[in-house]
Amino acid sequence: MKDRYDNSISTGSARARDAYVRGLDRFLGAELGVEEALSEAIAEDPDLALAHVTLGRYRQVMGDRAGAQAAMEAARGCGRELSPREAGQVAIFDMLIAGKTAAGYEAARAQLREFPRDVLTAQACLGALGLIGFSGRAGREAENLALAEELAPAYGADWWHQGLLAFAQLETGQLDRAEGNITASLAGNSRNAHAAHIRSHLFYERGETDAGYGFITAWRQGYDRRAQMHCHISWHIALWALERGDVDEMWRIIDRDVDPRQSSGPPINVVSDLAAVLYRAEMAGVEVPQARWQVIADYTAAHFPKPGLGFADMHGALSYAMAGRPEALDRIIQGAKGPAADLVRDLAEAFGALAAQDWERADHLLTRSLADHARIGGSRAQRDLIEFASLMVLLRLGRKREARRQLAMHRPRIALRNSLAGM
Ligand SMILES: [Fe+2]
């Protein structure tokens, strides 16, 4: 049997194959029903190892670590002899889900050299929150683009690949190329939430606030709120509402779709999206009630109790700083881990200085992090939290001309009408 990418899969059941392909496609498009489709595939053929692996990967992305490990255990327990590609995929996700990231990434790149259309492996490598995105390496945006381009001949006109290629391009400033690919991706699968999200980033990078807000608000109406990208897409809408000066709408979206008491986004999105939008609201001059900072600080403490993932720790540090929890903040400063630990430490200290209104110290630390904050992971839009914080500090220090120059050099196209008070 073959999957949608023409890879052979070891099953004798067409129904199992169809359900697996459906589940994988839903995962690649961040649609609802991944777990259901893959469970159906497993019910039809319990020895279809790749259905277990895909389920494990999906659960990992959704922050369900125990569920991911259980799925990998089931994958390993499958009795059937696997092809080299299938065995390779099981081994890679075994490592990744066990936290052996560096070895897993190396194995993933070897797998892609041999089987470039092993899409689950390619998906794990690419994107703002993928293995390259979170590698902490200098130049990781270029590395991400290089892999997306390297894979292009193998994928041709595939909606998943076109979307990830577009993201890689727009994050390195190739906005026109990105537009062609993201348009094709959406045409290939209009329900692809990653593509709708990446299209939103293109609007954002071009400073097209109203067009972006209109596009994604309309698109999201058909997107189930339980699906993977609903929280993060809502964050984009909330930021645009803020930029449009519609603060009431921003709070409505935060309360309904980002706040963990109402929404069910993956923890990495909730912790980064909620902390970021609250601070961006503060920087826009909106009063943010202290109780809101307590909510995100509690959430951080529950879901990321120990430092480890830099991108989460940086936003967790912000929530602790703003919630007035110096001991929790200090645990991140002292215990920062991983390949971007130096940046996590600087940013966590910077947020502490911001909360204490120690503008000189904040300026020193933020300026140092500006050199290469891409290493911390996430998108440029997400890391505008750092860029804006640095600008805000310059404004507080009465250095407005310097702030303007920095903005023109770093983020010349983005919209900044209402998002930064005093700019
Ligand atoms: Fe985004």
Side-chain angles (χ1 to χ4, degrees):
M1 296 259 174
K2 300 270 187 181
D3 68 10
R4 190 171 67 76
Y5 286 90
D6 260 339
N7 298 306
S8 61
I9 47 172
S10 304
T11 181
S13 161
R15 289 165 68 110
R17 187 266 317 270
D18 292 348
Y20 162 71
V21 167
R22 199 160 56 245
L24 178 57
D25 273 351
R26 285 177 184 169
F27 174 65
L28 295 176
E31 287 187 64
L32 194 69
V34 179
E35 183 103 24
E36 288 76 1
L38 293 171
S39 299
E40 197 186 318
I42 291 164
E44 291 288 342
D45 178 1
D47 282 334
L48 178 47
L50 297 197
H52 292 286
V53 176
T54 307
L55 192 54
R57 170 63 178 153
Y58 169 70
R59 288 172 177 170
Q60 182 192 32
V61 166
M62 296 301 286
D64 174 10
R65 183 180 260 222
Q69 284 166 345
M72 287 315 301
E73 203 169 307
R76 283 193 306 271
C78 288
R80 196 169 291 150
E81 194 180 331
L82 300 178
S83 69
R85 180 187 75 92
E86 291 170 311
Q89 197 184 102
V90 173
I92 290 162
F93 286 92
D94 223 12
M95 287 189 259
L96 295 179
I97 287 167
K100 296 171 187 163
T101 308
Y105 176 65
E106 217 169 286
R109 292 303 298 262
Q111 173 95 341
L112 291 176
R113 279 192 290 277
E114 205 170 341
F115 310 106
R117 284 167 73 83
D118 192 51
V119 68
L120 194 72
T121 301
Q123 191 276 346
C125 293
L126 294 171
L129 310 182
L131 287 168
I132 298 173
F134 280 161
S135 68
R137 283 191 287 276
R140 63 93 181 169
E141 289 172 312
E143 187 182 340
N144 187 63
L145 176 62
L147 177 60
E149 285 181 338
E150 187 183 313
L151 294 173
Y155 283 85
D158 171 68
W159 54 261
W160 171 79
H161 178 265
Q162 286 163 331
L164 271 289
L165 178 59
F167 206 4
Q169 288 169 329
L170 74 88
E171 291 289 293
T172 48
Q174 300 183 19
L175 303 187
D176 293 343
R177 286 184 188 182
E179 181 168 11
N181 283 312
I182 201 57
T183 304
S185 176
L186 272 168
N189 177 4
S190 63
R191 296 313 314 151
N192 175 3
H194 288 302
H197 167 233
I198 292 161
R199 186 71 188 84
S200 301
H201 273 269
L202 182 58
F203 281 120
Y204 181 94
E205 289 298 318
R206 284 181 168 155
E208 295 171 345
T209 302
D210 291 342
Y213 180 81
F215 164 79
I216 196 61
T217 301
W219 187 91
R220 193 186 66 151
Q221 280 174 5
Y223 191 50
D224 195 288
R225 54 183 290 109
R226 293 165 296 169
Q228 184 195 330
M229 290 298 286
H230 194 274
C231 168
H232 183 66
I233 281 174
S234 302
W235 174 79
H236 280 271
I237 299 176
L239 283 190
W240 272 326
L242 178 67
E243 172 61 14
R244 284 157 57 92
D246 192 348
V247 174
D248 290 344
E249 173 69 352
M250 180 198 73
W251 285 127
R252 265 195 300 277
I253 293 167
I254 291 174
D255 285 340
R256 201 181 48 211
D257 304 320
V258 183
D259 189 303
R261 291 170 295 184
Q262 295 298 326
S263 85
S264 57
I268 182 70
N269 289 131
V270 173
V271 74
S272 54
D273 292 338
L274 187 51
V277 74
L278 293 182
Y279 201 67
R280 286 183 63 160
E282 294 231 358
M283 291 193 285
V286 176
E287 195 189 322
V288 176
Q290 199 26 239
R292 289 186 179 272
W293 284 113
Q294 301 304 326
V295 168
I296 185 60
D298 285 343
Y299 184 88
T300 303
H303 288 83
F304 299 94
K306 285 187 201 153
L309 183 57
F311 191 68
D313 297 335
M314 160 197 147
H315 288 89
L318 174 61
S319 71
Y320 292 142
M322 297 306 292
R325 300 189 190 184
E327 285 170 15
L329 176 62
D330 207 47
R331 272 200 299 279
I332 293 180
I333 295 170
Q334 302 301 328
K337 277 205 181 71
D342 55 324
L343 261 174
V344 173
R345 248 186 321 268
D346 273 359
L347 289 168
E349 276 195 66
F351 294 140
L354 286 175
Q357 304 195 358
D358 182 348
W359 309 124
E360 293 284 356
R361 174 116 186 102
D363 179 46
H364 168 70
L365 292 160
L366 287 168
T367 302
R368 198 156 71 186
S369 76
L370 289 180
D372 194 5
H373 55 55
R375 287 179 50 235
I376 199 113
S379 65
R380 291 191 171 189
Q382 286 174 308
R383 284 179 281 107
D384 275 345
L385 175 70
I386 304 169
E387 293 282 347
F388 288 15
S390 169
L391 297 173
M392 182 197 69
V393 167
L394 291 175
L395 294 174
R396 292 279 195 279
L397 290 166
R399 291 151 61 181
K400 188 167 184 169
R401 281 180 53 173
E402 201 180 324
R404 288 240 164 104
R405 196 162 57 235
Q406 187 169 304
L407 176 66
M409 285 173 66
H410 290 197
R411 301 294 276 146
R413 296 189 205 88
I414 58 158
L416 210 52
R417 197 174 51 209
N418 291 311
S419 295
L420 191 55
M423 197 68 190

